[in-house]
Amino acid sequence: MNARATFTRMEDSTRDDWGVILPEAMQMARTLPDRVLAHLRLLDGDFGGFPIDRLSHCRQSATLALRDGRDEEYVVCALLHDIGDTLGSYNHPDIAAAILKPFVSEANLWMVQHHGIFQGHNFFHHIGLDRDMREQFRGHPHFERTAEFIERYDNPAFDPAAEMLPLSEFEPLLRRVMAAPKQSVYKAAMEAGTKDGAQA
């Protein structure tokens, strides 16, 4: 599409402008899984000193969750939990949580957003931090879920000899989860735009 809105200040935008912008936004939303997969592939070969590269760690976490019978949303969370490593050197869980927020339950979102502190129980004491930092969340409804995620799927997923399904195995799951946003301030407008487009 070559049409563009004409305003120079958002406050001056019109319904006609948004008639141009919204279809572009919907197309961008439909191709989100492609961009997420492309960014995930940036972790390939990035070891950062770890026994396996970051993409392999993500694949191994997701493989463990899939083999354990977890649902698609949970497996996608396992796959993407460290996607923020390349952009969020100081807050990588927040990057993953921001990407996943429209598509996952509150429980899974909390788990992803806090997994870094919970994983810290296994290594913070080696780098001068408090390994019990996660205890500040003791009693939270999602504490045990997050501790279990670390114990079963994040902590053991650094094994070069363990099974790691290829990224292509998880692609259909990712596409299904990201095709169905559960919450977003833009959700209603995007859905209305999709219906209007179908009726046109």
Side-chain angles (χ1 to χ4, degrees):
M1 178 180 278
N2 293 323
R4 292 187 185 178
T6 58
F7 61 87
T8 57
R9 295 172 61 90
M10 187 74 80
E11 66 184 299
D12 297 328
S13 65
T14 66
R15 184 176 295 275
D16 288 342
D17 288 324
W18 287 97
V20 171
I21 295 168
L22 194 56
E24 295 284 340
M26 290 184 298
Q27 177 57 30
M28 180 69 81
R30 283 192 290 274
T31 58
L32 175 61
D34 298 320
R35 294 190 303 281
V36 169
L37 288 164
H39 193 85
L40 199 56
R41 289 186 186 100
L42 295 178
L43 305 180
D44 190 13
D46 180 2
F47 285 84
F50 289 94
I52 61 176
D53 67 53
R54 288 179 162 99
L55 178 58
S56 295
H57 169 66
C58 290
R59 288 169 41 222
Q60 196 169 121
S61 294
T63 299
L64 289 167
L66 184 66
R67 294 288 189 244
D68 215 18
R70 296 293 182 160
D71 62 40
E72 289 189 352
E73 182 182 301
Y74 193 104
V75 173
V76 168
C77 287
L79 180 68
L80 299 185
H81 77 282
D82 278 349
I83 194 172
D85 277 350
T86 58
L87 292 174
S89 298
Y90 300 97
N91 66 330
H92 79 272
D94 295 323
I95 306 295
I99 293 168
L100 287 163
K101 185 174 182 177
F103 307 104
V104 302
S105 68
E106 194 268 333
N108 282 336
L109 179 66
W110 199 93
M111 177 183 78
V112 171
Q113 187 151 24
H114 292 84
H115 83 269
I117 289 173
F118 278 67
Q119 180 69 283
H121 181 74
N122 295 312
F123 74 92
F124 275 180
H125 54 298
H126 297 310
I127 61 172
L129 297 175
D130 178 11
R131 72 179 305 190
D132 293 323
M133 200 180 294
R134 70 183 187 174
E135 290 303 314
Q136 67 186 295
F137 301 111
R138 178 72 68 179
H140 189 280
H142 308 311
F143 182 98
E144 294 302 331
R145 180 184 192 82
T146 307
E148 180 187 53
F149 172 75
I150 299 303
E151 183 61 28
R152 296 176 72 103
Y153 311 120
D154 194 2
N155 180 38
F158 295 91
D159 184 354
E163 179 186 19
M164 292 174 247
L165 290 170
L167 191 54
S168 59
E169 191 77 22
F170 302 108
E171 183 174 341
L173 285 69
L174 177 71
R175 291 188 182 282
R176 284 193 290 271
V177 168
M178 290 195 159
K182 296 179 176 184
Q183 63 261 333
S184 166
V185 68
Y186 305 111
K187 185 174 185 283
M190 298 283 267
E191 287 175 349
T194 301
K195 288 174 188 167
D196 290 346
Q199 292 167 358

